[in-house]
Amino acid sequence: MEAEQANNPFYFGTDAGLRREYHEQKACMLLTSRDLGDAPSAPDGSSCEVDSEPDSVPPLVQGKYYNLCLLDDRSKPHTARFCGYPTYVFKALCTEDIPAYALRRVDGFRLTNFDLAQSALERWSRLPPHPSVVAIRQAFATQDFFTYQRDREHSLSRRQSSNGSAQPSHIPRSLSTEGGSLVFVYDYHANAATMEACHFQGQGPVREGVLWSYIVQIVLALRHIHAAGMAARVIDPTKILVSYRNRVRLNCVGLLDALKVDPSRSVRDYQMQDLISLGRLVLALACGTLEVLADIPKTMDQIFMKMDLSMELRNLVVMLLSKPVGAYPSVHDIAGAISGRIATQMEAALHVGDCFEEELKKEVDNGRLVRLLSKIGSIVDRPSCGSDHNWAETGDRYVVKLFRDYLFHQVDEESRPVLDIGHIADSLAKVTKAD
Amino acid sequence: MEAEQANNPFYFGTDAGLRREYHEQKACMLLTSRDLGDAPSAPDGSSCEVDSEPDSVPPLVQGKYYNLCLLDDRSKPHTARFCGYPTYVFKALCTEDIPAYALRRVDGFRLTNFDLAQSALERWSRLPPHPSVVAIRQAFATQDFFTYQRDREHSLSRRQSSNGSAQPSHIPRSLSTEGGSLVFVYDYHANAATMEACHFQGQGPVREGVLWSYIVQIVLALRHIHAAGMAARVIDPTKILVSYRNRVRLNCVGLLDALKVDPSRSVRDYQMQDLISLGRLVLALACGTLEVLADIPKTMDQIFMKMDLSMELRNLVVMLLSKPVGAYPSVHDIAGAISGRIATQMEAALHVGDCFEEELKKEVDNGRLVRLLSKIGSIVDRPSCGSDHNWAETGDRYVVKLFRDYLFHQVDEESRPVLDIGHIADSLAKVTKAD
């Protein structure tokens, strides 16, 4: 049953499932470092670094990001996360607007290289938004993290000195590091997981239906990026976010353009690399493990070609991974080759949109009703305000009280109290001064 | 500004626009024949037929459809609506479930031909649902309409006879008609209009962005139908429904299969006819009038090719309308030829889905809050129930009253009443017994 749902691009889930999703996402949005710090520590928690302590991030970064909460998998070394640079990713709120953001911080970055980052940011900001690319919002270089940590370690060591247990080794480590962090600000997608966490921790091979959904979305994103004369450079299980209903989004776009550009390679080379990486990713997903990438020709022959997969999928992987006779295909060639699958996924996307619309239609009036009921409730029955005529049982607000009684105090034919939500909704629908 | 929005497949509209949409749709759902009958009559209202009087439809059809409301454009003769058969389309509610349905009634249908209808229905019911095809739910032959109308005319004529103004000419007309109506039941899409009403009543040429949205959705629907070995046979401005955000749906599928099948033509012929009709439709939409179809070669040369349209659109129309050297292309060939446009439309569909999801997230808790506030309101302050201890100021329900006061009767530091929706929502979120 569940397998069938996962394979069916038209499966939308239940009403209750949707509500659970949103509550999970809301919980993720509200999560703070302190919540994570309160959780029971890992088995090797004793050797915990200073960074992962709940209050080791500054309360405010760049003057507007606050409530930073580390999202990284703490069991991995920082250096393994991004091209050898120590990186961290935080969820943060912003003083200027409502949504949460993901702050990706790269340490050990020479601030003199900031021009490279700036030009990468500019190019990526000009790219129109795409539903399968996590939007990039800002990039800045900051010393906030280091200043905060240095101050903190200073005060810690001073306290420890006064306790007679000085550990001066801490301070040089921090101070010897270069003082700058580069921070890229992306949209935060609540409760999304990396493809690595979803599929490469022993979950087994991915079903073909899901695979096509991933492939089509990634190809659309690459098509969009390549058409703008850029390359994604993030087709990697650790950089692709998966969320509900198999939606995928390319994360961290532009970051590598800011950190490491090999002048001997053209954009075309990087674009080709995107497609080869896609081929490797599809192969690994179909086989269910990243280990098969160690010897691709052997995997293709002995595992992939013997799996029960459609001809189209096999051809796609061959097209992406083999050395072509002529020119290596462009992403447009790939999109053309899988146009039938794109059409199917478009049908699924239309269907999901229709389902969301149906759900929304059911809920659309409720916000107004809540505001209206809150206003009525706040006006009536305030005996403490009785000295003011307006609030008294004879004043203007008394009419509202009568309406409130009419709304809620219905009785059946034997004068027993009844609860009639239909009557309440119907009566409130006729009130026009709600918003 | 508006033009730009219409051309942009990613344009979603505003929050307020969405709410207005849903209220319009709700109004359409609730509309009854009586509402339409109350509207001022047309200039030629004096010659109004009996059918268009509000109560000329039976109160119940096939034992479960009620509240029938004629949706047809009353200014046109019935016979012009569908292949020469007099047809009517009604919105109806069903006693068995909640959504509204569209009942398409065909008169003058020989009940002995019902086998043809039955087999058409069976084939179309097996077709999996598609977001761009209006789903068919049921087909039945009924005498309800005729019996009702005959009875009504009888009683009318009897009343008129007793008034001394008999008009016996009415009765023979009805009775001479064959007694059966064939009714096809489709999903009802509130506030959708036919493409004819949207674009062929002097609105001028359709912009290319909108055209591609239509083309892609129709091609997807045809691809789905043709792959199942059937033909749509409804690619016609009067049979395609347009609703918000350029969503189109093929309407009346299967009806022609039930009414008129030419044994000398194969399914392949009908499928080819679908694509030719699509070509004609696109040409007419691009030119903004159906008149251009009278002389297609001239239109192509003198109007269409001189318009400011993309090469892709021109090629598509040529591909659909010209006699090919080899075989006429299949819908899969067409889909392959416009795969780039399909990809763009898929991005738009994903984006619209994301937007709906964002809106839904904002509203998702409000339904629960409304129910909760209604329950609290119905419990507290019922002095009329005072004789029962449970309802008294000391009983169980008094705790709820205290909570109600805590919710609504907050004051500021100077004891002035304040309305704090945040406090109300926050406090209610902590109540678990809501549903």
Side-chain angles (χ1 to χ4, degrees), chain B residues 313-325:
Chain B
L313 189 62
R314 291 180 194 193
N315 288 344
L316 176 71
V317 173
V318 170
M319 193 168 169
L320 290 169
L321 287 182
S322 55
K323 287 213 166 55
V325 186

Side-chain angles (χ1 to χ4, degrees), chain B residues 118-134:
Chain B
Q118 198 63 43
S119 89
L121 175 74
E122 265 168 31
R123 266 177 299 137
W124 282 95
S125 307
R126 272 200 305 271
L127 187 78
H130 189 280
S132 297
V133 178
V134 177

Side-chain angles (χ1 to χ4, degrees), chain A residues 247 354 381-382 409-410, chain B residues 247 354 381-382 409-410:
Chain A
R247 278 288 268 120
D354 288 349
D381 277 330
R382 300 193 87 142
H409 296 172
Q410 294 295 315
Chain B
R247 279 286 269 120
D354 288 349
D381 277 331
R382 300 194 87 143
H409 296 172
Q410 295 295 316

Side-chain angles (χ1 to χ4, degrees), chain B residues 290-304:
Chain B
L290 287 168
E291 285 158 22
V292 297
L293 298 182
D295 186 350
I296 290 182
K298 190 179 142 207
T299 304
M300 294 282 279
D301 275 356
Q302 298 185 5
I303 307 178
F304 184 68

Side-chain angles (χ1 to χ4, degrees), chain A residues 179-225:
Chain A
S181 309
L182 176 69
V183 177
F184 268 67
V185 182
Y186 295 92
D187 279 357
Y188 170 66
H189 291 275
N191 214 16
T194 64
M195 209 168 255
E196 187 187 31
C198 285
H199 295 299
F200 293 117
Q201 298 188 338
Q203 290 95 333
V206 177
R207 287 186 204 82
E208 188 169 344
V210 179
L211 256 182
W212 278 115
S213 176
Y214 290 168
I215 294 169
V216 167
Q217 290 177 72
I218 296 173
V219 166
L220 288 185
L222 289 180
R223 187 175 155 271
H224 185 71
I225 293 168

Side-chain angles (χ1 to χ4, degrees), chain A residues 22-23 25-26 130 223 245 247 340 347 354 357 361 365 378 380-382 404 409-410 419, chain B residues 22-23 25-26 130 223 245 247 340 347 354 357 361 365 378 380-382 404 409-410 419:
Chain A
Y22 293 151
H23 287 123
Q25 291 191 353
K26 214 167 173 182
H130 189 280
R223 187 175 155 271
R245 282 168 294 279
R247 278 288 268 120
E347 287 163 356
D354 288 349
E357 188 167 13
K361 274 184 205 168
D365 276 337
S378 299
V380 301
D381 277 330
R382 300 193 87 142
R404 195 275 315 262
H409 296 172
Q410 294 295 315
L419 171 65
Chain B
Y22 293 152
H23 287 124
Q25 290 191 353
K26 214 168 173 179
H130 189 280
R223 186 175 155 272
R245 282 168 293 279
R247 279 286 269 120
E347 288 163 356
D354 288 349
E357 188 167 13
K361 274 184 205 168
D365 276 337
S378 299
V380 301
D381 277 331
R382 300 194 87 143
R404 195 275 316 262
H409 296 172
Q410 295 295 316
L419 170 65

Side-chain angles (χ1 to χ4, degrees), chain B residues 50-322:
Chain B
V50 177
D51 305 313
S52 58
E53 282 178 24
D55 49 356
S56 72
V57 287
L60 195 68
V61 173
Q62 192 73 352
K64 62 179 184 180
Y65 296 102
Y66 64 101
N67 249 358
L68 268 65
C69 172
L70 193 70
L71 298 174
D72 284 313
D73 180 355
R74 289 164 196 230
S75 62
K76 287 195 187 170
H78 302 321
T79 45
R81 286 181 195 141
F82 217 113
C83 306
Y85 285 90
T87 78
Y88 308 79
V89 60
F90 301 94
K91 186 202 74 180
L93 299 179
C94 178
T95 53
E96 289 171 3
D97 50 14
I98 295 165
Y101 293 97
L103 267 51
R104 189 161 291 263
R105 160 187 159 200
V106 185
D107 284 350
F109 177 78
R110 284 179 184 277
L111 291 190
T112 47
N113 283 351
F114 191 66
D115 282 352
L116 190 62
Q118 198 63 43
S119 89
L121 175 74
E122 265 168 31
R123 266 177 299 137
W124 282 95
S125 307
R126 272 200 305 271
L127 187 78
H130 189 280
S132 297
V133 178
V134 177
I136 183 168
R137 298 294 172 187
Q138 198 189 2
F140 54 85
T142 180
Q143 296 208 310
D144 287 349
F145 291 96
F146 279 86
T147 316
Y148 179 77
Q149 199 167 342
R150 194 189 51 207
D151 293 352
R152 204 167 151 268
E153 286 176 12
H154 263 148
S155 73
L156 264 183
S157 69
R158 223 176 300 131
R159 221 182 304 151
Q160 284 165 337
S161 312
S162 65
N163 290 348
S165 62
Q167 290 183 330
S169 62
H170 257 161
I171 303 166
R173 182 175 69 81
S174 258
L175 290 180
S176 67
T177 322
E178 287 192 38
S181 308
L182 177 68
V183 177
F184 268 66
V185 182
Y186 295 92
D187 279 357
Y188 171 66
H189 291 276
N191 214 16
T194 64
M195 209 167 253
E196 186 187 31
C198 285
H199 295 299
F200 293 117
Q201 299 188 337
Q203 290 95 334
V206 177
R207 287 185 204 84
E208 188 170 343
V210 179
L211 256 183
W212 277 115
S213 176
Y214 290 168
I215 294 169
V216 167
Q217 291 176 72
I218 296 173
V219 167
L220 288 185
L222 289 180
R223 186 175 155 272
H224 185 70
I225 292 168
H226 290 191
M230 297 190 284
R233 303 179 66 192
V234 290
I235 309 300
D236 183 277
T238 63
K239 297 290 163 296
I240 297 178
L241 293 181
V242 181
S243 53
Y244 303 96
R245 282 168 293 279
N246 301 332
R247 279 286 269 120
V248 297
R249 291 182 177 88
L250 305 189
N251 196 11
C252 300
V253 292
L255 194 50
L256 269 183
D257 288 353
L259 294 181
K260 206 162 77 179
V261 176
D262 180 350
S264 70
R265 298 184 69 184
S266 68
V267 172
R268 182 79 192 93
D269 291 336
Y270 282 123
Q271 290 177 346
M272 198 173 111
Q273 189 55 49
D274 279 350
L275 294 175
I276 294 172
S277 303
L278 175 62
R280 291 166 56 93
L281 180 68
V282 173
L283 185 63
L285 285 169
C287 299
T289 163
L290 287 168
E291 285 158 22
V292 297
L293 298 182
D295 186 350
I296 290 182
K298 190 179 142 207
T299 304
M300 294 282 279
D301 275 356
Q302 298 185 5
I303 307 178
F304 184 68
M305 286 305 177
K306 289 179 181 158
M307 294 178 83
D308 180 23
L309 297 169
S310 70
M311 212 54 216
E312 267 168 295
L313 189 62
R314 291 180 194 193
N315 288 344
L316 176 71
V317 173
V318 170
M319 193 168 169
L320 290 169
L321 287 182
S322 55

Side-chain angles (χ1 to χ4, degrees), chain A residues 265-334:
Chain A
R265 299 184 69 184
S266 68
V267 171
R268 182 78 192 94
D269 291 337
Y270 282 123
Q271 289 177 346
M272 199 172 110
Q273 189 55 50
D274 280 349
L275 293 175
I276 294 172
S277 304
L278 175 62
R280 292 166 55 92
L281 180 68
V282 174
L283 186 63
L285 285 169
C287 298
T289 163
L290 288 168
E291 285 157 22
V292 297
L293 298 182
D295 186 351
I296 289 182
K298 189 178 143 208
T299 304
M300 294 282 279
D301 275 356
Q302 297 184 5
I303 307 178
F304 184 68
M305 286 305 177
K306 289 178 182 161
M307 294 177 83
D308 180 23
L309 297 169
S310 71
M311 212 54 217
E312 267 168 296
L313 189 63
R314 291 180 193 192
N315 288 344
L316 176 71
V317 173
V318 170
M319 193 169 169
L320 289 170
L321 287 182
S322 55
K323 286 212 166 57
V325 186
Y328 188 82
S330 76
V331 71
H332 296 280
D333 300 330
I334 302 290

